[in-house]
Amino acid sequence: MQVLTRLAPAKLNLTLRVAGRRADGFHELESLVTRLAFGDELAVARHEDGCYALTCDDPTLPADGSNLVLRAARALARAAGVNHGAAFTLRKRIPAGAGLGGGSSDAATALMALNELWDLGLSCVRLAELAALLGSDVPLFLHAPLCVLRGRGERIEDRPERCRAWAVLLLPPVHCSTPAVYAAWDRRPPLPERPPLESILAVLHDPAVLMERLFNDLEPAAFDIAPELARLAGRATALAGGPVRMTGSGAALFRLFADPAEAEAFAAQARAELGVRAEVARTATAE
């Protein structure tokens, strides 16, 4: 039986600008996003009986038809007009509710793996169309390692630049509800003016300078609803001697380093002094 095993990479929102709430209830965003060489592991085996199954090492995640991986498989089979089945084995390393895009990445990875396993030959454009039906974050994992999201995240611009750095991810046992964070953002006063995207892109080569310019407009709102996350961010900033940022709507925090040894040292300090899970991950630089 042929089995494909693929990395379902995490993403980092290097910047996240919220321009306001739209008439349709969603928020207008601009976000510079990079993928990481760190994530979940998805293994896929082909079945000819049209049945689907999912085994996951995280018992808190649903393994039924509500799981994005199985929804992606069924959507692809319908679109391609095939009756193949698949068995998935998912090893989770990306925590749920961390702002790292774990579920969305799993779904996008399932689409790409099944496109190969089932010999469908669908283009990336067609896969991205299917991905958009599954969730606004899913298509970005079919794009370049560095891209800009706009609108509610559905407008994606591939960027030729690369953020070459080592990220230390701080992964506290805190779940930030995305709707609750946006609702808290709606209640907050306007934020200060943020640096333009061009000024961020200009210093991608220098992680120390880059960290000083990064921002996430959802941070204050997430800290309002999760005070323990605000306390961790303050302690991590003091430990790092410089800013630590949040990705997405939380609750993962990160700091970028040019030197992998420095990143490993900070991660070890964070585990020892902050008592938090810390992972070191290289940013993705190639397709």
Side-chain angles (χ1 to χ4, degrees), residues 138-207:
V138 181
L140 77 89
F141 293 98
L142 298 164
H143 281 261
L146 186 78
C147 56
V148 179
L149 310 185
R150 294 185 175 90
R152 56 177 287 194
E154 80 281 8
R155 301 200 312 271
I156 304 173
E157 175 193 356
D158 289 347
R159 297 295 311 189
E161 302 92 344
R162 295 291 177 264
C163 176
R164 290 177 169 82
W166 294 83
V168 176
L169 307 176
L170 304 182
L171 306 172
V174 177
H175 180 90
C176 285
S177 160
T178 298
V181 171
Y182 276 101
W185 183 91
D186 289 336
R187 296 190 295 268
R188 291 189 59 85
L191 290 164
E193 187 174 347
R194 299 302 196 178
L197 178 62
E198 293 73 18
S199 75
I200 307 293
L201 294 171
V203 295
L204 280 177
H205 64 284
D206 190 335

Side-chain angles (χ1 to χ4, degrees), residues 12-281:
L12 281 183
N13 297 88
L14 298 175
T15 66
L16 204 166
R17 187 189 317 269
V18 185
R21 187 168 183 169
R22 309 186 326 187
D24 61 5
F26 292 99
H27 292 75
E28 189 72 21
L29 308 176
E30 180 188 83
S31 182
L32 180 64
V33 179
T34 185
R35 289 205 304 269
L36 298 175
F38 162 84
D40 298 338
E41 182 182 276
L42 184 67
V44 192
R46 175 171 173 160
H47 281 186
E48 295 299 342
D49 57 6
C51 293
Y52 300 93
L54 172 66
T55 302
C56 181
D57 62 357
D58 183 346
T60 67
L61 294 182
D64 57 18
S66 66
N67 190 285
L68 270 177
V69 168
L70 296 182
R71 287 173 55 199
R74 291 190 171 97
L76 181 62
R78 284 194 302 270
V82 298
N83 192 37
H84 305 317
F88 299 93
T89 302
L90 179 61
R91 186 167 75 92
K92 288 295 292 181
R93 298 182 69 200
I94 306 173
L100 293 166
S104 296
S105 183
D106 295 341
T109 303
L111 289 175
M112 291 185 285
L114 288 175
N115 189 43
E116 179 180 345
L117 194 66
W118 289 347
D119 258 342
L120 300 179
L122 297 183
S123 68
C124 281
V125 172
R126 181 63 181 126
L127 291 178
E129 291 171 351
L130 292 172
L133 301 176
L134 298 168
S136 46
D137 268 358
V138 181
L140 77 89
F141 293 98
L142 298 164
H143 281 261
L146 186 78
C147 56
V148 179
L149 310 185
R150 294 185 175 90
R152 56 177 287 194
E154 80 281 8
R155 301 200 312 271
I156 304 173
E157 175 193 356
D158 289 347
R159 297 295 311 189
E161 302 92 344
R162 295 291 177 264
C163 176
R164 290 177 169 82
W166 294 83
V168 176
L169 307 176
L170 304 182
L171 306 172
V174 177
H175 180 90
C176 285
S177 160
T178 298
V181 171
Y182 276 101
W185 183 91
D186 289 336
R187 296 190 295 268
R188 291 189 59 85
L191 290 164
E193 187 174 347
R194 299 302 196 178
L197 178 62
E198 293 73 18
S199 75
I200 307 293
L201 294 171
V203 295
L204 280 177
H205 64 284
D206 190 335
V209 175
L210 179 63
M211 282 303 309
E212 298 291 335
R213 299 189 188 181
L214 300 186
F215 61 89
N216 184 334
D217 285 352
L218 294 179
E219 263 183 30
F223 293 169
D224 284 347
I225 67 171
E228 66 273 36
L229 185 59
R231 290 191 291 271
L232 175 62
R235 294 176 64 201
T237 296
L239 187 65
V244 170
R245 293 271 73 94
M246 185 182 84
T247 181
S249 57
L253 305 172
F254 70 93
R255 182 166 173 84
L256 301 177
F257 294 85
D259 182 354
E262 288 183 12
E264 293 286 358
F266 177 65
Q269 278 187 299
R271 295 182 197 111
E273 299 185 32
L274 304 180
V276 67
R277 178 185 167 192
E279 299 281 354
V280 178

